[in-house]
Amino acid sequence: LTEHPCWVSFWRTDMKSHFFAYISRMRFIQRWALMRNTAPENVQEHSHQVAILAHALAVLRNAYFGGQVDTGAVAVAALYHDASEILTGDMPTPIKYDNPDIQSAYKAVEAVAEQKLLSMLPPDLRGAYDEVLTIPDPEVRALVKAADKLSAYLKCVEELKAGNNEFKKAKEQTLAALEENTLPALQYFMEEFLPGFELTLDELQDSVNR
């Protein structure tokens, strides 16, 4: 095995990559830091849900709206879409979008964090992860962004179902943002699949057993 050129090249260096060790720490970054949560959510949990939702939106786009997007690429980009927060932390939305200067500054910090993560990889692997972390494809980025917002809305739904009115205004604002989004796949998902998230487990089971 070690006679293979790639292995020889790798093992002859003293470099140790900490990229995946950092990625594994997404589970320690808590979201919704300014809000009282009945069920705390970390970035790893959020990223998994966004990947499922983004993949679904990509599938819907291809199936019903003439899209030809790579559904796998969308799902992977969604898994890594908040990776920079391992280094920056999660800035609460009311602060992040308080004014254009803060938003612009935070985007610059995110870009630096993304490049810092890329620098942790062996040079031969950086190209494979560059697009995953930076999402340069506008179509993929739009689907991931829609899924990210959708995930935030579902968090609000869950908290309100648990009787936590702390998320009432956030739900209204997030729903308004979703309704303004013109992506047909998103609107289809909201009409077809969103109502189920408002149901209890018993109500879901009753609807399935009918």
Side-chain angles (χ1 to χ4, degrees):
L1 180 61
T2 55
E3 293 180 358
H4 191 283
C6 293
W7 286 98
V8 172
S9 174
F10 181 81
W11 288 114
R12 284 180 180 171
T13 70
D14 294 327
M15 181 193 68
K16 302 296 182 185
S17 174
H18 303 312
F19 177 81
F20 293 106
Y22 268 92
I23 292 297
S24 72
R25 290 177 174 267
M26 280 198 288
R27 66 190 187 278
F28 300 135
I29 310 299
Q30 297 298 313
R31 287 172 50 79
W32 306 93
L34 291 179
M35 313 280 276
R36 177 174 60 84
N37 288 254
T38 60
E41 179 185 61
N42 63 55
V43 171
Q44 188 175 72
E45 294 168 330
H46 167 70
S47 298
H48 176 265
Q49 185 178 50
V50 173
I52 290 175
L53 295 172
H55 179 266
L57 294 180
V59 169
L60 292 171
R61 184 174 181 83
N62 290 348
Y64 299 130
F65 304 106
Q68 295 182 327
V69 64
D70 183 337
T71 57
V74 171
V76 173
L79 280 174
Y80 284 89
H81 82 283
D82 275 343
S84 64
E85 292 183 1
I86 298 165
L87 301 179
T88 68
D90 177 45
M91 181 176 286
T93 296
I95 298 174
K96 186 187 299 185
Y97 298 108
D98 182 61
N99 67 56
D101 289 339
I102 291 178
Q103 187 175 355
S104 177
Y106 188 75
K107 285 185 179 297
V109 170
E110 282 183 321
V112 171
E114 290 165 358
Q115 293 306 310
K116 179 64 175 177
L117 285 171
L118 282 172
S119 74
M120 296 178 189
L121 287 163
D124 291 345
L125 301 184
R126 290 172 192 170
Y129 283 89
D130 191 3
E131 291 190 4
V132 170
L133 291 176
T134 62
I135 320 181
D137 186 314
E139 186 174 26
V140 174
R141 180 177 287 273
L143 290 167
V144 172
K145 185 176 180 180
D148 188 31
K149 187 67 69 175
L150 193 54
S151 175
Y153 178 75
L154 296 179
K155 167 66 173 174
C156 296
V157 170
E158 291 173 1
E159 289 291 334
L160 285 168
K161 283 169 62 178
N164 183 9
N165 287 325
E166 186 95 354
F167 281 76
K168 182 178 180 181
K169 185 175 181 180
K171 180 185 178 183
E172 294 171 353
Q173 293 175 335
T174 309
L175 179 60
L178 287 169
E179 290 175 340
E180 289 176 2
N181 192 312
T182 58
L183 277 177
L186 174 62
Q187 298 306 319
Y188 183 97
F189 186 98
M190 291 175 63
E191 181 177 344
E192 183 70 20
F193 299 109
L194 213 53
F197 290 90
E198 299 279 358
L199 303 179
T200 65
L201 178 59
D202 289 337
E203 291 170 335
L204 285 170
Q205 291 176 331
D206 287 343
S207 66
V208 170
N209 294 330
R210 287 174 186 169

